[in-house]
Amino acid sequence: MAEGRRMKGVEGGAGGGDGEQRDEDTREELELALSLGRRGWHLPPRQEPAPRSLNWTVAFSEWNPDAAGSSRSAESVLGPQPVPSVRLGGMLERVILEGPHAGGSAEAGWEDADEEDGDRDLLNKRLIVRSFGEDSPQHSGANASSFGSESPFLPVSRERVHFNLSRCPEHELEFGLSLFPKDDGNESSRDAKNERVNHAEKSGGRNSEDVGIRMDLSDDLLHLKDLCRAGVACKQWRSASMHEDFWRCLKFENTRISLQNFVDICHRYQNVTDLNLSGIINAEALVLEAIMFLRHLKTLTMGKGQLGEAFFQALAECPLLTTLAVSDASLGSGIQEVTVNHDGLRKLHILKCRALRISVRCSQLQILSLKRTGMAHVSLNCPQLLELDFQSCHKLSDNAIRQAATACPLLAKLDMSSCSCVTDETLREIASSCPNLSVLDASNCPNISFESVRLPTLIDLKLLSCEGITSASMAAISCSRLLEALKLDNCSLLTSLSLDLPHLRNISLVHLRKFADLNLRSPVLSYIKVSRCSALHRASITSSALQKLVLQKQESLSSLSLQCHNLIDVDLSDCESLTNAICEVFSDGGGCPMLRSLILDNCESLSMVELNSSSLVGLSLAGCCSMTFLRLLCPNLQNVNLDGCDHLESASLCPVGLETLNLGICPKLNVLHIESPNMSILELKGCGVLSQASINCPSLTSLDASFCRQLVDDSLTCTAEACPLIEHLILSSCLSVGIDGLSSLHCLHKLTLLDLSYTFLINLKPVFDSCPQLKILKLSACKYLSDSSLDALYREGALPMLVELDLSYSSIGQTAIEGLLACCTNLVNVNLNGCTNLQELVCGSDDCSPVDIPVDLCPPDSAPVKSEEISERSGCLLEVLNCTGCPNIKKVVIPSMANYLHLSKINLNLSTNLKEVDLTCSNLYTLNLSNCSSLEVLKLDCPRLTNLQLLACTMLQEEELESAISLCSTLEILNVHSCPKINALDFGRLHAVCPHPEQSHRII
């Protein structure tokens, strides 16, 4: 480094490996120069070449006091101009945007040397940093040079920051730096300063052009590197970032820093209160060198490296030090005792360190942690110590721990977990010497039984993985009447627990292999964790504060007694040994009057479940495969889960508040009684042996009783009378339903869907008479229906609102089908799949003309109706016709006179004997003739046809196809796959057939 304090970067070639990291370290070292001011900056002894991308020169020049009054003269020298340090006096400072016409000394701000400044728009303002507690020079006459002028800085760019007042509000904006120093700044003093500033502004002394803007710098922005980088942005930021309030906390963890640089920083900022040197190998040397400048230090963090006796003796130079943290370091020389002696120290943390002997003599120390520190002996002289942590100090003897703890009469919290040598004798000595001990952690101490230990002031006790804890230990724990939290996890010899503690709130019992009996009484008990206690067979809990109880996977639990008046949720999943007596616990009068949710999943020993609860809302019995009887008197029950209840035979749910219920997963259900005023959907699908059903659900709208083969007419009649709002009724495969049951459907005035598929019905007259409002009728696979069964439907006008009819796989003959298609003009969807008696489908015959059906006449004074409107009104409304798999159909003819104006889809797939198809349908979009292997004649006059499927039509000739599609002007998809007589590769010829070649086609 040159005498003129000049420092130059080295322009180097492109490097690899650690080059980028070294460059970053160099840049950080240079940025730290902002913190030194006139004292200069010293690079580490080792110089590394910088990459080519860094080509810069930074110079430090001696400051000339004569140039202090002018920024122009300051810029005439290589050294930077002096920038006043900001006096915050608290935690806020003020950044004011001054206009070029504003008064005051130039020393209070900075001006650009450019000649064009005089012509700058008055609306453009420049930043000036000023303390909140000081008046503006415009109206106070104070010279800004009084801020101080002893620190030269790095030269910065002349670039200015401009704010356009046209975008700002008329009133002045306050722009303050909200700082958060580590010395617990006083919020009230900050508010007081703001009030003084507001009062000064309202007095009218300031220039109305001045603008203040408030800015909040969070703790993240106060990092050392961020401050240094902010300092090179502009002069005002540089001045603000230099203020000592920003540098009260120095965090150098895992940072390369030279000894001289560290000393210079501490020399300049002697008000540092928090210093972190963890991860720095030579941290001891840094502290010893700069200790004279750290008299205001309150918190010191050290880590790694070697810390000798000289380091701990030097701490006396920091009288305000209250917290010392040392981690992962070697203490002392290895053969001598390390002594920590400081009268002001209140918190001492020595973590994962290595030492032979440690002596702590701190009269004001309150918290001491020696966690995971390897030492053979410890000596304490800390009369004010409240918290002591010996966790995982494996080398400490039982006697050493005893002497250390008993030397602290005010001790309130002690952690000696994983100190395997601790015995009950030590605990007894501690109990007598530390009467205020309230928190004790003795986990993983195998020699502790706790039988003769008395700790009456104990509040929190942890005895995890203590092999000596047995049921006899509970008597000693019962003496701790103030105990609030207890953890006994992994105490393998504990067989029973009986505690009556008035203040116990939390208890944890996890993985107790021999634990069999639990008895807890506490009015404030709010949390219980019992898990993996495979031997637990009896539990009794009394609490007024417990709201949730989880006892999952307690395979041996057979008896449970609860007196918990505020208990809401209970989960007893996989408690395989629970008996039927558990139902009394959760019924009214059983001790849980507020219970809302009960989970008894996979409780395989439950056979009869009877619950009478006025508060229960949710119940889950999934997987209770042994349950045969269920009785619920729960008027507010809204959810019930019976999945996997395969052996349920009788169920009575009277009354319940259910809205939906699915009992289709109970194949052995024989007797069912339901009374639910809110139920709307009931599914009994698959209850094949259900013979008695009493359903009283006045709001029921949908009932699915599919495959209830033994459901008799009496049950259907009672259901219809009690549930008059049913709209959808599915009786598919209900073989026992007869005429009497169907006659009772007259009570269902809103019935629109009726499914009687797979039944043995012969006479449908009860349906036609009882359900005039029916819209959907499904008669699929009704083998005993004859043509006469549907006479009333197409000859007498029964079911005038019917729009969908399913006769798939039925025995209906040719005559009935033709009559239905000709006379039932309101049908929209007709399914004739698999009808073996259908031989030909010729529509438009005179057997039943739609003219026979009366139509509304026009009023005499109305305009005459056109012939086209009459034709459309009297035409058929059929849209979808499905005749899939009709093996005997040979001919399908739909002429234009059939008036099928709405027909859009025809499906004749798998009609293997179909030979002729002649269709004239103006609105047909989809025609499926796939697998019609006998098809020879195809005539189509369908101008809107877009999809034609001819898969595996082996007899169809190419000429016939060309003639058929010539009138299909909108055809888009043509499937002729596996048609041997059609050359699908000749796409040009098939495209040419269509009258509109611009239409896109897809030929398969």
Side-chain angles (χ1 to χ4, degrees):
M1 183 166 298
E3 279 190 350
R5 312 191 75 82
R6 180 181 300 273
M7 181 172 57
K8 296 185 179 181
V10 181
E11 180 181 356
D18 299 333
E20 294 182 1
Q21 180 63 35
R22 291 195 298 268
D23 299 336
E24 179 65 22
D25 294 339
T26 304
R27 286 194 295 270
E28 292 176 3
E29 292 281 348
L30 288 171
E31 289 172 346
L32 287 174
L34 292 171
S35 66
L36 300 179
R38 189 178 176 188
R39 294 186 56 82
W41 181 256
H42 303 272
L43 282 175
R46 185 172 55 131
Q47 298 265 347
E48 297 290 347
R52 293 184 183 273
S53 59
L54 294 177
N55 186 8
W56 36 255
T57 298
V58 183
F60 291 95
S61 176
E62 291 292 343
W63 175 66
N64 183 7
D66 298 333
S70 171
S71 61
R72 298 177 184 269
S73 58
E75 292 175 357
S76 64
V77 294
L78 291 177
Q81 71 170 27
V83 177
S85 61
V86 184
R87 299 175 183 262
L88 292 183
M91 300 189 304
L92 297 176
E93 81 178 358
R94 190 169 175 185
V95 180
I96 303 177
L97 306 180
E98 295 285 353
H101 63 286
S105 172
E107 295 172 357
W110 59 277
E111 297 183 13
D112 200 314
D114 196 287
E115 295 294 338
E116 297 179 358
D117 280 357
D119 299 330
R120 188 178 301 275
D121 194 333
L122 291 178
L123 295 180
N124 294 329
K125 303 301 175 183
R126 292 166 294 172
L127 287 168
I128 290 181
V129 182
R130 191 174 292 124
S131 170
F132 266 110
E134 297 171 355
D135 295 331
S136 175
Q138 282 88 328
H139 54 80
S140 66
N143 194 320
S145 62
S146 62
F147 285 116
S149 57
E150 294 184 1
S151 301
F153 302 91
L154 287 170
V156 297
S157 171
R158 304 180 191 179
E159 183 178 356
R160 294 187 175 184
V161 181
H162 303 290
F163 290 83
N164 194 329
L165 288 182
S166 62
R167 299 182 180 178
C168 298
E170 295 180 0
H171 62 278
E172 297 181 347
L173 299 174
E174 302 249 325
F175 201 14
L177 303 177
S178 180
L179 309 180
F180 302 92
K182 301 299 181 180
D183 56 348
D184 300 332
N186 192 339
E187 188 71 24
S188 61
S189 62
R190 183 186 315 173
D191 295 338
K193 285 181 176 292
N194 290 337
E195 291 179 3
R196 290 197 298 270
V197 171
N198 293 335
H199 177 73
E201 290 177 353
K202 291 179 181 179
S203 63
R206 282 193 55 188
N207 191 310
S208 61
E209 293 284 343
D210 291 347
V211 178
I213 306 173
R214 288 198 176 275
M215 178 173 60
D216 182 13
L217 295 180
S218 65
D219 288 337
D220 293 338
L221 294 180
L222 299 182
H223 192 275
L224 182 62
K225 298 177 183 179
D226 296 325
L227 284 173
C228 296
R229 290 167 182 165
V232 299
C234 63
K235 296 179 181 179
Q236 279 69 28
W237 281 42
R238 181 177 62 188
S239 179
S241 65
M242 293 296 299
H243 194 271
E244 61 182 13
D245 284 354
F246 285 91
W247 296 80
R248 293 184 183 274
C249 177
L250 299 181
K251 297 182 180 180
F252 292 101
E253 66 271 26
N254 302 311
T255 302
R256 283 181 51 199
I257 183 170
S258 66
L259 178 61
Q260 186 60 45
N261 291 339
F262 179 76
V263 173
D264 290 342
I265 291 178
C266 295
H267 187 188
R268 176 168 181 79
Y269 300 105
Q270 297 187 18
N271 289 328
V272 172
T273 60
D274 192 338
L275 177 60
N276 189 334
L277 296 175
S278 60
I280 300 179
I281 302 300
N282 62 334
E284 181 184 22
L286 298 179
V287 173
L288 292 178
E289 188 68 22
I291 194 67
M292 66 183 67
F293 307 124
L294 300 174
R295 297 187 58 83
H296 294 87
L297 190 64
K298 295 182 179 180
T299 301
L300 176 59
T301 303
M302 308 288 288
K304 295 185 179 180
Q306 182 80 24
L307 298 179
E309 186 69 21
F311 167 78
F312 293 101
Q313 292 178 358
L315 296 179
E317 299 290 334
C318 304
L320 301 181
L321 186 66
T322 59
T323 302
L324 174 61
V326 181
S327 61
D328 198 16
S330 297
L331 308 183
S333 60
I335 59 174
Q336 296 180 348
E337 181 179 76
V338 176
T339 301
V340 182
N341 189 350
H342 196 287
D343 292 336
L345 201 62
R346 284 173 171 76
K347 297 180 181 180
L348 176 60
H349 300 273
I350 301 178
L351 312 177
K352 297 176 59 177
C353 293
R354 299 163 294 280
L356 180 62
R357 298 167 61 89
I358 296 179
S359 176
V360 182
R361 300 173 183 175
C362 303
S363 58
Q364 300 297 323
L365 192 65
Q366 297 179 354
I367 299 175
L368 173 60
S369 176
L370 299 172
K371 185 183 300 184
R372 301 178 65 182
T373 295
M375 56 192 170
H377 182 76
V378 61
S379 174
L380 301 183
N381 184 5
C382 308
Q384 302 296 323
L385 193 66
L386 301 177
E387 299 181 13
L388 178 59
D389 188 352
F390 283 137
Q391 179 182 344
S392 300
C393 295
H394 303 292
K395 295 183 180 181
L396 275 182
S397 65
D398 182 41
N399 186 49
I401 295 176
R402 183 188 314 166
Q403 292 180 359
T406 54
C408 307
L410 300 181
L411 193 64
K413 181 178 181 181
L414 175 61
D415 186 349
M416 51 184 181
S417 58
S418 299
C419 295
S420 57
C421 58
V422 177
T423 62
D424 285 343
E425 180 64 26
T426 296
L427 290 179
R428 285 193 292 269
E429 290 288 338
I430 293 174
S432 60
S433 301
C434 306
N436 297 323
L437 188 64
S438 59
V439 179
L440 175 62
D441 188 349
S443 303
N444 295 290
C445 296
N447 297 321
I448 289 180
S449 67
F450 218 80
E451 294 183 8
S452 57
V453 179
R454 299 294 184 268
L455 292 169
T457 61
L458 207 58
I459 295 177
D460 190 336
L461 176 61
K462 297 179 181 178
L463 297 174
L464 287 76
S465 301
C466 293
E467 298 177 0
I469 298 298
T470 63
S471 300
S473 306
M474 298 304 106
I477 295 177
S478 298
C479 295
S480 302
R481 302 294 293 173
L482 300 179
L483 193 64
E484 296 181 1
L486 176 62
K487 287 189 176 182
L488 298 172
D489 301 350
N490 297 298
C491 295
S492 56
L493 298 181
L494 184 62
T495 58
S496 64
L497 184 149
S498 179
L499 293 175
D500 185 357
L501 298 173
H503 300 284
L504 186 64
R505 297 179 182 273
N506 304 323
I507 186 170
S508 178
L509 304 168
V510 178
H511 196 201
L512 306 178
R513 294 176 294 175
K514 297 183 179 181
F515 188 61
D517 194 352
L518 172 63
N519 187 357
L520 286 176
R521 295 178 63 87
S522 174
V524 296
L525 185 64
S526 58
Y527 176 80
I528 300 177
K529 183 177 182 181
V530 180
S531 176
R532 300 170 61 189
C533 299
S534 56
L536 181 64
H537 67 81
R538 192 183 76 86
S540 176
I541 302 173
T542 301
S543 172
S544 300
L546 189 64
Q547 295 185 351
K548 184 175 183 179
L549 176 63
V550 178
L551 297 174
Q552 295 178 348
K553 296 183 179 181
Q554 306 303 320
E555 295 88 351
S556 302
L557 183 63
S558 58
S559 175
L560 179 63
S561 175
L562 297 176
Q563 291 296 326
C564 305
H565 299 292
N566 291 305
L567 189 61
I568 295 176
D569 299 327
V570 175
D571 188 349
L572 300 175
S573 301
D574 299 293
C575 294
E576 301 174 356
S577 301
L578 278 179
T579 62
N580 298 331
I582 193 65
C583 299
E584 298 179 2
V585 177
F586 302 116
S587 296
D588 290 343
C592 304
M594 303 296 292
L595 185 65
R596 293 177 59 86
S597 175
L598 176 60
I599 301 177
L600 297 172
D601 294 349
N602 301 312
C603 295
E604 298 179 357
S605 297
L606 293 178
S607 59
M608 300 179 65
V609 176
E610 297 186 56
L611 289 174
N612 181 1
S613 174
S614 57
S615 62
L616 193 63
V617 175
L619 173 64
S620 180
L621 295 168
C624 296
C625 55
S626 300
M627 183 174 62
T628 59
F629 178 81
L630 174 63
R631 183 181 180 185
L632 301 178
L633 287 82
C634 307
N636 294 312
L637 186 65
Q638 297 179 5
N639 300 291
V640 62
N641 186 0
L642 299 174
D643 292 346
C645 298
D646 299 336
H647 293 80
L648 183 63
E649 299 177 358
S650 177
S652 175
L653 292 78
C654 303
V656 291
L658 296 172
E659 296 182 359
T660 62
L661 178 62
N662 183 5
L663 293 173
I665 32 70
C666 304
K668 295 186 177 181
L669 186 63
N670 182 30
V671 179
L672 175 63
H673 298 280
I674 299 179
E675 181 181 337
S676 177
N678 300 323
M679 184 173 294
S680 60
I681 300 176
L682 175 61
E683 293 190 17
L684 303 175
K685 185 176 182 179
C687 298
V689 297
L690 182 63
S691 58
Q692 300 180 26
S694 175
I695 303 174
N696 185 7
C697 304
S699 300
L700 191 67
T701 59
S702 177
L703 173 61
D704 187 351
S706 302
F707 302 99
C708 294
R709 294 183 175 88
Q710 297 186 18
L711 186 65
V712 296
D713 289 346
D714 292 341
S715 298
L716 181 59
T717 301
C718 294
T719 300
E721 293 175 353
C723 309
L725 301 181
I726 292 180
E727 299 177 4
H728 297 171
L729 179 60
I730 302 177
L731 300 174
S732 177
S733 296
C734 293
L735 305 181
S736 300
V737 173
I739 295 178
D740 293 339
L742 296 178
S743 300
S744 65
L745 299 183
H746 71 276
C747 300
L748 307 179
H749 302 291
K750 295 187 176 182
L751 186 65
T752 58
L753 184 151
L754 178 61
D755 189 350
L756 297 173
S757 301
Y758 297 92
T759 57
F760 297 155
L761 295 176
I762 299 176
N763 186 2
L764 294 177
K765 189 176 186 303
V767 175
F768 298 150
D769 295 341
S770 304
C771 309
Q773 72 285 352
L774 204 62
K775 294 182 179 180
I776 301 175
L777 178 61
K778 297 185 178 182
L779 300 171
S780 178
C782 293
K783 298 295 184 180
Y784 294 94
L785 287 179
S786 61
D787 290 0
S788 59
S789 301
L790 299 176
D791 283 351
L793 193 60
Y794 64 90
R795 293 186 183 277
E796 301 175 7
L799 305 183
M801 303 179 66
L802 191 67
V803 296
E804 181 176 340
L805 178 62
D806 188 355
L807 296 172
S808 301
Y809 307 101
S810 64
S811 57
I812 299 298
Q814 178 76 28
T815 304
I817 292 175
E818 291 180 351
L820 287 171
L821 294 177
C823 300
C824 297
T825 56
N826 289 328
L827 287 175
V828 175
N829 192 334
V830 176
N831 292 325
L832 301 173
N833 302 325
C835 290
T836 57
N837 294 330
L838 182 60
Q839 298 179 355
E840 64 178 22
L841 187 59
V842 180
C843 301
S845 62
D846 295 334
D847 295 340
C848 183
S849 174
V851 179
D852 297 339
I853 300 176
V855 296
D856 296 336
L857 298 177
C858 299
D861 55 347
S862 62
V865 182
K866 297 181 180 179
S867 59
E868 294 83 354
E869 295 179 358
I870 296 176
S871 176
E872 183 174 353
R873 180 183 302 176
S874 60
C876 182
L877 300 179
L878 186 65
E879 295 182 3
V880 179
L881 177 61
N882 290 317
C883 298
T884 299
C886 296
N888 298 320
I889 190 171
K890 298 179 180 180
K891 182 178 180 180
V892 176
V893 177
I894 301 180
S896 59
M897 61 177 294
N899 243 355
Y900 284 176
L901 302 178
H902 302 280
L903 187 60
S904 60
K905 180 179 179 180
I906 299 178
N907 190 353
L908 295 167
N909 184 27
L910 294 172
S911 299
T912 55
N913 289 319
L914 183 63
K915 293 184 178 181
E916 179 182 353
V917 175
D918 186 354
L919 303 177
T920 302
C921 301
S922 58
N923 285 308
L924 189 65
Y925 289 94
T926 302
L927 176 60
N928 189 354
L929 296 172
S930 299
N931 299 293
C932 295
S933 55
S934 301
L935 183 63
E936 297 178 354
V937 179
L938 180 61
K939 298 179 180 179
L940 300 177
D941 186 2
C942 306
R944 297 186 179 180
L945 186 66
T946 59
N947 190 338
L948 178 58
Q949 298 290 328
L950 297 172
L951 174 67
C953 293
T954 57
M955 301 298 294
L956 186 64
Q957 299 289 336
E958 187 171 358
E959 294 77 9
E960 190 71 16
L961 175 60
E962 293 178 3
S963 176
I965 66 176
S966 62
L967 297 179
C968 302
S969 57
T970 61
L971 188 64
E972 297 179 1
I973 299 176
L974 175 61
N975 187 354
V976 290
H977 188 271
S978 300
C979 296
K981 296 185 179 182
I982 299 175
N983 184 11
L985 298 177
D986 191 2
F987 297 120
R989 183 176 178 181
L990 293 177
H991 277 288
V993 175
C994 296
H996 297 284
E998 69 278 1
Q999 183 75 28
S1000 61
H1001 302 287
R1002 185 155 61 98
I1003 301 176
I1004 303 174

